[in-house]
Amino acid sequence: MKRIGITGGMGCGKSTVVAEFQQLGIPCFVADTVAAAYYNDPGFLKQVADMLGEKVTRDDGRADKQRIADIVFANPDKLHQLNSLVHPRVMHDFDRFCHQNDAHPYVLFESAILYDYGLDKQMDAVICVYLDLEERIQRLLARDHLTRKQLMDRINRQLPAEQVMMRANYVILNYEGNPRHRQVAYIDKQLKQ
Ligand code: ADP
């Protein structure tokens, strides 16, 4: 069974494309969703607090995600430490997911930051969903309640989309009106060979 990464900057349409692969019956592991669930685990939160040396929960014991984000995005070392806690756990869960789905010819691993942290090395191939920056911003302004500046701050923390596209094995152009279904069907056929 092949492990296929699917990546691209925020707003390019990864979730939309992943939903199309799911409709074809392909098991899809969404790294962000899996990692977000760790913050409901008190044991994990304690590890994060110990590592960052700061309180990371609210008075009711739930994760203070804004505080964690403020700490790590202001300090690259702490961001690196948090990633070294989260990524091995995500990959461990992905291994289990692969074993559970080993009757399928391939599974997808969706992550916006696949190349940023070298997770591509654990994939057999990578699909990049691409859209130019301005088009992404327009879609994100319609999807999220964030300002253009807030979006740019987040986008600028990721590798430029063009670099991601050049390194991928397959590229899906997600412009409105593009024959995305055909591209998805073609890649699916290739991956099943
Ligand atoms: P990502 O998962 O990469 O952040 P999404 O799949 O959430 O991106 O897509 C971002 C926004 O763009 C969503 O609101 C989605 O509905 C919209 N969108 C995705 N693909 C298209 C398309 N081909 N044409 C128009 N809008 C699209």
Side-chain angles (χ1 to χ4, degrees):
M1 188 200 59
K2 293 179 206 143
R3 297 168 176 225
I4 308 299
I6 179 159
T7 190
M10 59 187 284
C12 64
K14 288 179 301 302
S15 311
T16 309
V17 171
V18 162
E20 290 190 4
F21 278 99
Q22 273 170 330
Q23 276 169 17
L24 296 176
I26 305 306
C28 299
F29 181 96
V30 180
D32 258 11
T33 309
V34 172
Y38 298 160
Y39 292 85
N40 299 326
D41 167 9
F44 176 78
L45 283 176
K46 180 165 184 333
Q47 276 183 296
V48 175
D50 289 348
M51 197 187 67
L52 298 178
E54 305 216 24
K55 187 168 181 281
V56 296
T57 45
R58 298 177 187 279
D59 292 342
D60 62 5
R62 295 164 71 121
D64 189 342
K65 289 191 182 169
Q66 188 57 51
R67 176 148 181 73
I68 298 171
D70 288 346
I71 296 169
V72 298
F73 289 125
N75 184 330
D77 282 347
K78 292 197 169 177
L79 177 61
H80 180 74
Q81 286 174 30
L82 182 64
N83 281 326
S84 52
L85 194 66
V86 174
H87 289 160
R89 193 167 163 162
V90 168
M91 295 323 284
H92 180 264
D93 285 346
F94 180 55
D95 276 343
R96 208 169 43 195
F97 178 84
C98 292
H99 289 305
Q100 284 163 352
N101 290 287
D102 64 359
H104 291 265
Y106 70 97
V107 297
L108 288 185
F109 176 90
E110 180 199 333
S111 168
I113 52 174
L114 189 81
Y115 285 109
D116 307 56
Y117 293 101
L119 304 179
D120 57 298
K121 295 188 189 75
Q122 300 186 46
M123 302 294 143
D124 294 297
V126 175
I127 302 165
C128 167
V129 183
Y130 179 81
L131 197 62
D132 66 69
L133 184 61
E134 192 49 41
E135 190 68 34
R136 283 163 63 198
I137 290 173
Q138 292 312 319
R139 288 186 192 174
L140 288 169
L141 286 171
R143 188 191 72 177
D144 300 340
H145 300 287
L146 293 170
T147 64
R148 193 182 177 96
K149 162 137 190 2
Q150 286 170 320
L151 287 171
M152 282 313 298
D153 284 348
R154 292 182 187 200
I155 287 172
N156 286 336
R157 284 193 212 115
Q158 302 178 344
L159 275 180
E162 287 69 21
Q163 281 190 33
V164 173
M165 175 166 63
M166 284 192 289
R167 291 169 68 178
N169 303 86
Y170 303 94
V171 177
I172 293 179
L173 296 177
N174 190 26
Y175 288 98
E176 206 167 345
N178 241 35
R180 192 181 59 217
H181 300 290
R182 245 172 37 209
Q183 295 179 340
V184 168
Y186 174 79
I187 294 171
D188 176 64
K189 196 170 156 199
Q190 295 279 313
L191 291 174
K192 281 175 175 161
Q193 275 171 9

